[in-house]
């Protein structure tokens, strides 16, 4: 609960245990409120608004503005995963953005990609492997899909 380091979004736990954070307006945290919650958490021994104590960095950096966003979980596991699911889940077949009917053509382009050797995974078929794609590959897949979408 309260996993967002920027606001007081409590999130919602799904039956499978996954916690999701739907877009809503929640009050923003400040460095001072994080210190207050941390102080209270340390004195009571209980988490307060998702804070369990005061970070040793609290007197060195601003705990809201000084910590970068975790791009893998926020973007690749969040936004990119959501876009890929919207584009390819059959439940969206009536939507104008649905790409599921074009997986063969998109797969053809993806399979022709030759990523640099620094990338640990080669392109994989959307039709066969979308649900197994790792976060490290999602951004590459998104770029390839956007390339296909804009070049047709």
């Amino acid at each position: 609960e309260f996993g967002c380091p920027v606001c007081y979004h409590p999130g919602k736990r799904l039956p499978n245990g996954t916690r999701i954070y739907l877009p809503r307006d929640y009050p923003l945290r400040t460095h001072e409120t994080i210190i207050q919650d941390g102080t209270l958490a340390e004195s009571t021994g209980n988490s307060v608004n998702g804070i369990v104590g005061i970070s040793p960095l609290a007197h060195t950096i601003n705990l809201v503005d000084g910590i970068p966003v975790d791009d893998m979980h926020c973007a690749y596991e969040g936004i990119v995963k959501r876009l890929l699911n919207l584009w390819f889940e059959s439940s969206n077949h009536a939507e104008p953005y649905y790409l599921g009917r074009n997986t063969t053509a998109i797969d053809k382009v993806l399979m022709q990609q030759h990523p640099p050797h620094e990338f640990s995974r080669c392109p994989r078929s959307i039709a066969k492997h979308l649900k197994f794609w790792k976060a490290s590959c999602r951004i590459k897949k998104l770029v390839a899909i956007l390339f296909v979408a804009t070049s047709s």
Side-chain angles (χ1 to χ4, degrees):
E1 191 172 33
F2 299 104
C4 180
V6 177
C7 73
Y8 288 101
H9 194 313
K12 177 182 178 182
R13 186 169 301 278
L14 300 178
N16 68 2
T18 302
R19 183 168 290 281
I20 60 171
Y21 295 88
L22 300 172
R24 302 277 193 283
D25 289 328
Y26 286 93
L28 297 178
R29 295 180 189 265
T30 65
H31 182 77
E32 291 73 25
T33 60
I34 291 176
I35 298 293
Q36 290 170 359
D37 290 346
T39 303
L40 184 56
E42 287 181 352
S43 68
T44 63
N46 297 313
S47 171
V48 177
N49 296 319
I51 307 295
V52 295
I54 299 175
S55 168
L57 300 175
H59 301 292
T60 307
I61 63 170
N62 182 304
L63 295 174
V64 175
D65 300 328
I67 299 175
V69 173
D70 174 8
D71 61 344
M72 185 183 82
H73 291 99
C74 182
Y76 306 149
E77 286 291 331
I79 297 166
V80 173
K81 182 177 182 179
R82 179 73 176 134
L83 285 173
L84 290 170
N85 288 333
L86 283 170
W87 290 337
F88 294 103
E89 281 183 357
S90 60
S91 61
N92 297 320
H93 71 278
E95 301 297 338
Y97 53 79
Y98 179 66
L99 297 175
R101 287 180 278 281
N102 303 318
T103 54
T104 302
I106 295 169
D107 275 352
K108 183 178 177 182
V109 172
L110 280 177
M111 301 317 290
Q112 292 172 351
Q113 304 299 312
H114 299 286
H117 69 278
E118 289 86 7
F119 291 101
S120 60
R121 295 179 182 267
C122 292
R124 295 182 181 180
S125 164
I126 291 172
K128 295 178 184 174
H129 300 285
L130 180 62
K131 63 183 173 186
F132 302 112
W133 280 357
K134 300 289 184 189
S136 61
C137 293
R138 284 199 177 103
I139 194 67
K140 293 177 278 181
K141 307 302 185 196
L142 178 63
V143 170
I145 291 166
L146 291 174
F147 173 76
V148 171
T150 58
S151 63
S152 17

